[in-house]
Amino acid sequence: AETHLVEKENLGGTCLNVGCIPTKALLHTAELYHAVRNGERIGLKGESVTIDWQALMNRKQSVVRRLVGGVGGLLKANGVTVHKGTGELAGPGSVKVHGAEEEVLTADVVVVSTGSVPVKLNFPGADLPGVIDSTGALSLPKPPESMVIVGGGVIGIEFAALCAALGSKVTVVELLPEILPGIDSEIVLALKKNLSKEGIVFLNGAKLESVNQAAGALAAKVQVGAETREIVAEIVLVAVGRRAFTDGAGLEASGVKLERGKVAVDENYQTNVPGVYAIGDCNGITMLAHAASHQGIAAVEHALGHGGTHGQPIVPACIYIRPEVAAVGITEDKAKEQGIAYRKGVFPLAGNGKAMIDEGESGFIKILAGAQYGEIIGVHMVGPRVTEMIGEATLA
Ligand code: NAI
């Protein structure tokens, strides 16, 4: 199909520009730094190792730049015309591009993939300098000495691990009784044990009340049960989720149905308006880049009449900290909740030589299978390099 792409900022979206990729670039160096500094057990003495923050920032940017360039190259090689500007659906098959010049594109099929933005919390002090979101956290002028992270989800925990490895004093404030909702609770327990050892403090069932300027720092007032605590930190990172972003995309005016802010789609990622599809974070189904890629393939195949419906894909999820977490399928908590009869097998990594060498003895792999037929319904892993093993579990 003759294809046009409208982009208002940089090619590659959140994951590549201000999400997974820059975060992982920082995590890579932070983990090496931490491992070398604490390397006595494995015969390394690296107390004098230091972080060159500017070099690290430059490297992160260079990784992003190369990948963005690669995406541009791929689009060009595949004959996609890129239009710089904001796209606005102006009825089925018509997209206005608000850029340096105004233009109108017409097409048989329009795919909306406008992504998501961080959820903003309204609290006194939310606009103070030093109160940041994940995008801000990726370009700090130096590693923070101390940090309060509001939200113990994937972003919160990845940044907590990153900053702790760099030597920051980190406190995580989570509203729910436990961090990482949606992750198997045995995995969360194991993870927390490790992260607590790194000095990260978890306040669960805790609510941020306000942030005030304190001598050269910020003072966060947090309600924990009946008690109000004040935590002084250099930075307050708010990571309480992301919401579908469709502002200015002309969807509702063109009759496209939204449900609680997300673009409603059927099993082929088609909206209620025939020929208009929505993929990725903007439909809110699975806010992960690899899921978005797959949805794109499914939507295009449907639009062009190739292949059948993809159905509900099985999507693995990973948390890139040390120890790594990787999961696919149902959690044990959900299986119990839904009354699913299951069998459970657990392999402690203390019994695996390679994991031991990688200092990952505290990790484990848990496989859940249907009680009657033994079909695999969930695999949950915590330990070294498990994010590289989850593909095999997904296939199984
Ligand atoms: P999230 O939904 O994973 O977690 C948000 C956390 O904030 C939850 O634990 C929630 O209970 C808590 N929360 C909500 N309101 C709060 C409040 N007022 N005070 C304290 N805690 C509050 O969202 P997150 O971490 O912002 O991530 C956004 C998206 O990005 C997710 O869809 C995530 O899957 C994706 N992501 C994926 C990564 C990966 O695959 N490795 C890495 C980072 C993000």
Side-chain angles (χ1 to χ4, degrees):
E2 182 192 330
T3 307
H4 296 258
L5 178 81
V6 185
E7 169 59 55
K8 67 178 159 66
E9 283 171 30
N10 299 312
L11 295 172
T14 299
C15 171
L16 212 164
N17 289 285
V18 288
C20 334
I21 300 298
T23 317
K24 264 89 260 181
L26 298 184
L27 272 164
H28 176 67
T29 300
E31 281 171 6
L32 283 176
Y33 172 72
H34 185 261
V36 173
R37 299 259 300 177
N38 297 278
E40 304 84 36
R41 274 194 320 258
I42 56 164
L44 271 182
K45 279 196 164 178
E47 296 86 0
S48 59
V49 175
T50 54
I51 291 216
D52 180 342
W53 188 251
Q54 198 47 53
L56 173 54
M57 288 290 143
N58 292 347
R59 182 193 188 231
K60 176 203 73 173
Q61 249 358 82
S62 125
V63 169
V64 170
R65 220 178 6 253
R66 270 185 283 161
L67 287 167
V68 170
V71 172
L74 281 171
L75 290 171
K76 203 166 175 190
N78 285 281
V80 177
T81 311
V82 177
H83 302 256
K84 186 102 186 138
T86 305
E88 181 190 355
L89 194 63
S94 173
V95 174
K96 279 189 199 160
V97 181
H98 307 288
E101 288 160 35
E102 301 281 302
E103 53 180 333
V104 179
L105 307 173
T106 54
D108 300 321
V109 174
V110 177
V111 180
V112 179
S113 56
T114 44
S116 63
V117 288
V119 168
K120 281 216 156 77
L121 268 190
N122 275 325
F123 54 86
D127 294 326
L128 283 174
V131 179
I132 58 172
D133 62 15
S134 58
T135 307
L138 288 169
S139 48
L140 288 169
K142 64 176 182 63
E145 268 165 35
S146 50
M147 193 169 208
V148 168
I149 299 180
V150 186
V154 190
I155 292 184
I157 295 307
E158 283 189 347
F159 275 103
L162 165 66
C163 293
L166 293 173
S168 313
K169 198 173 167 305
V170 178
T171 308
V172 176
V173 177
E174 167 61 49
L175 194 60
L176 295 177
E178 190 51 279
I179 59 161
L180 293 171
I183 302 287
D184 192 278
S185 55
E186 280 188 320
I187 299 275
V188 174
L189 216 66
L191 198 65
K192 264 178 74 179
K193 220 165 144 183
N194 273 281
L195 294 176
S196 302
K197 262 194 236 154
E198 306 295 337
I200 299 173
V201 175
F202 294 96
L203 301 178
N204 292 351
K207 191 167 180 287
L208 177 74
E209 299 287 353
S210 63
V211 175
N212 291 303
Q213 201 82 57
L218 297 168
K221 210 171 258 174
V222 178
Q223 186 81 32
V224 196
E227 193 191 335
T228 305
R229 292 196 205 173
E230 191 179 78
I231 308 155
V232 175
E234 200 179 318
I235 296 288
V236 174
L237 166 64
V238 179
V240 294
R242 298 181 63 91
R243 65 168 179 86
F245 177 79
T246 57
D247 303 2
L251 300 185
E252 278 173 307
S254 301
V256 174
K257 210 170 102 197
L258 303 190
E259 271 166 17
R260 282 181 287 126
K262 304 166 191 171
V263 188
V265 291
D266 65 14
E267 67 279 14
N268 298 306
Y269 307 100
Q270 188 165 214
T271 69
N272 62 310
V273 177
V276 177
Y277 293 74
I279 59 162
D281 284 13
C282 73
N283 68 26
I285 297 173
T286 312
M287 286 194 166
L288 295 170
H290 52 288
S293 287
H294 183 82
Q295 291 176 9
I297 292 168
V300 169
E301 286 190 352
H302 184 262
L304 301 188
H306 298 256
T309 295
H310 283 234
Q312 192 61 50
I314 296 164
V315 184
C318 300
I319 309 178
Y320 292 91
I321 59 173
R322 198 186 149 83
E324 293 184 346
V325 172
V328 66
I330 198 166
T331 61
E332 191 173 355
D333 314 80
K334 268 270 168 331
K336 279 183 190 156
E337 211 178 286
Q338 295 177 8
I340 295 170
Y342 64 92
R343 280 189 278 151
K344 166 179 170 181
V346 178
F347 181 79
L349 291 181
N352 179 282
K354 186 67 169 62
M356 196 183 289
I357 291 161
D358 278 347
E359 298 180 282
E361 297 97 315
S362 64
F364 64 89
I365 292 174
K366 164 155 110 177
I367 302 186
L368 304 173
Q372 193 174 358
Y373 303 110
E375 78 283 14
I376 294 172
I377 56 173
V379 180
H380 305 275
M381 310 178 174
V382 56
R385 299 168 205 243
V386 294
T387 61
E388 285 153 41
M389 298 199 279
I390 197 65
E392 200 171 347
T394 306
L395 190 60

